Amino acid sequence: MINKLVKKIKETNAPIVVGLDPMLNYVPEHIRKKAFDNFGETPEGAAEAIWQYNKGIIDSTYDLIPAVKPQIAMYEQFGVPGLAAFEKTVKYAKEKDLVVIGDVKRGDIGSTSAAYATAHLGKIQIGTKNYSLFDEDFATVNPYLGTDGIKPFIDVCKKENKGLFILVKTSNPSSGEFQDRIIDGRPLYEWVGEQVAEWGAEHMGDSYSYVGAVVGATYPEMGRVLRKVMPKSYILVPGYGAQGGTAEGLRPYFNEDGLGAIVNSSRGIICAYQQEKYAGFGAEGYAEASRQAVIDMIQDITSIF
């Protein structure tokens, strides 16, 4: 799957991923009203609203981008109906030939880790039949439990030709409380990055490993170091835009050929219509506003090369 991601990045010249992280107050009033008219002010109504919202954004941007990244917590908050909306979003994005990065941040051990991997990347056997359920192409994984928590994911990825993005240095302000701690002369995130490179060596695509890393856009100097530590790992970069990351600060995450990293934007794209810059589109034109925000982001990021 890493080969497909790299191919689509080259084809679109867009090293970006749209984060489909919907909150109900992001959804325009006309979409919420229609959903509530049909399903009431219920979890089912909320799930329908976010599904229709996502569908509009995908329809307006899929030809411009290589991938989307739905964050599962935004769906889980609406319970089982929310998970159904997550599933529909994943399937619809794949119908549009987008690579889907499931932002699920799972991390456990043994059979529990294997079950998470099966749910999101693998197949479950039920009697004589096998089913792919959520069926994302990549999943984000927390490495805090060590190899016991990662190996079941890698085993499924090898079998299903899927991939991972492992949390190495996250973009949130308090990430340094643990990730920056000095262990034997080096910060913990470097040790984790080194381990990611080792795990990735077991599962290589044509040019990059199927085992990538998450490194926040808010720490470009750390990104520079980690790019060297993980030369064959694709880096998923959150934190651009709303969290303060800038295009110029992204340069260290990429290799000289302009590959090696994919930059996420969530609110900056899916809530573009709420920004002054795109206010002219109005709530009815929220999807067109998202399309223009994608075009602007592509121009901003590719300007650094």
Side-chain angles (χ1 to χ4, degrees):
M1 192 52 63
I2 189 64
N3 294 339
K4 179 176 180 178
L5 180 62
V6 172
K7 179 174 179 287
K8 288 190 70 66
I9 289 171
K10 289 179 178 179
E11 288 174 350
T12 58
N13 192 33
I16 71 171
V17 53
V18 173
L20 296 174
D21 305 349
M23 296 288 284
L24 199 53
N25 63 345
Y26 296 173
V27 181
E29 175 63 27
H30 69 280
I31 296 176
R32 279 182 283 159
K33 183 180 185 304
K34 185 175 180 179
F36 292 161
D37 285 347
N38 289 331
F39 295 94
E41 293 182 345
T42 62
E44 290 78 7
E48 174 67 10
I50 63 174
W51 153 239
Q52 293 297 337
Y53 176 63
N54 285 348
K55 184 176 182 297
I57 292 168
I58 291 170
D59 285 342
S60 286
T61 61
Y62 75 91
D63 60 317
L64 300 175
I65 61 176
V68 293
K69 183 180 70 66
Q71 162 50 255
I72 200 167
M74 301 305 180
Y75 303 82
E76 287 179 339
Q77 64 184 328
F78 300 112
V80 173
L83 284 175
F86 178 86
E87 180 185 36
K88 285 196 286 188
T89 296
V90 171
K91 287 183 177 179
Y92 190 68
K94 293 183 76 169
E95 287 174 12
K96 295 294 189 180
D97 200 35
L98 292 168
V99 173
V100 178
I101 301 170
D103 195 356
V104 298
K105 295 186 177 70
R106 300 306 191 220
D108 214 305
I109 58 173
S111 59
T112 308
S113 186
Y116 280 138
T118 296
H120 290 283
L121 300 172
K123 293 183 175 70
I124 184 71
Q125 184 168 345
I126 303 174
T128 60
K129 297 182 178 180
N130 289 304
Y131 296 90
S132 297
L133 296 176
F134 291 120
D135 197 28
E136 301 102 297
D137 299 309
F138 290 82
T140 57
V141 182
N142 191 324
Y144 193 73
L145 278 72
T147 300
D148 289 344
I150 300 298
K151 187 177 184 300
F153 280 93
I154 292 178
D155 290 344
V156 169
C157 286
K158 286 181 177 179
K159 185 176 180 181
E160 302 296 336
N161 196 31
K162 300 290 185 74
L164 304 176
F165 285 102
I166 297 175
L167 305 183
V168 175
K169 176 58 183 174
T170 56
S171 58
N172 57 299
S174 65
S175 66
E177 291 176 0
F178 298 125
Q179 295 167 21
D180 296 0
R181 292 279 177 152
I182 302 301
I183 311 294
D184 293 339
R186 289 194 294 166
L188 178 59
Y189 63 78
E190 282 192 38
W191 289 103
V192 176
E194 190 173 88
Q195 188 62 59
V196 166
E198 290 184 19
W199 286 325
E202 302 175 15
H203 190 28
M204 285 294 299
D206 293 340
S207 302
Y208 288 92
S209 169
Y210 282 67
V211 182
V214 178
V215 182
T218 46
Y219 303 105
E221 287 307 311
M222 297 174 187
R224 190 184 310 277
V225 171
L226 289 166
R227 176 73 282 167
K228 294 177 181 177
V229 170
M230 305 177 294
K232 296 297 184 180
S233 295
Y234 235 81
I235 298 177
L236 171 62
V237 189
Y240 169 85
Q243 293 185 51
T246 65
E248 188 55 40
L250 293 170
R251 187 66 188 86
Y253 299 81
F254 289 88
N255 288 317
E256 292 300 320
D257 59 2
L259 298 172
I262 184 166
V263 183
N264 178 75
S265 179
S266 299
R267 283 171 291 170
I269 290 174
I270 68 173
C271 296
Y273 80 99
Q274 295 180 344
Q275 301 172 33
E276 183 178 352
K277 181 177 181 180
Y278 305 106
F281 288 93
E284 293 281 347
Y286 81 96
E288 289 75 17
S290 293
R291 180 179 179 85
Q292 187 59 52
V294 165
I295 292 169
D296 292 346
M297 181 178 174
I298 293 170
Q299 291 176 345
D300 189 33
I301 291 175
T302 55
S303 71
I304 67 176
F305 301 116

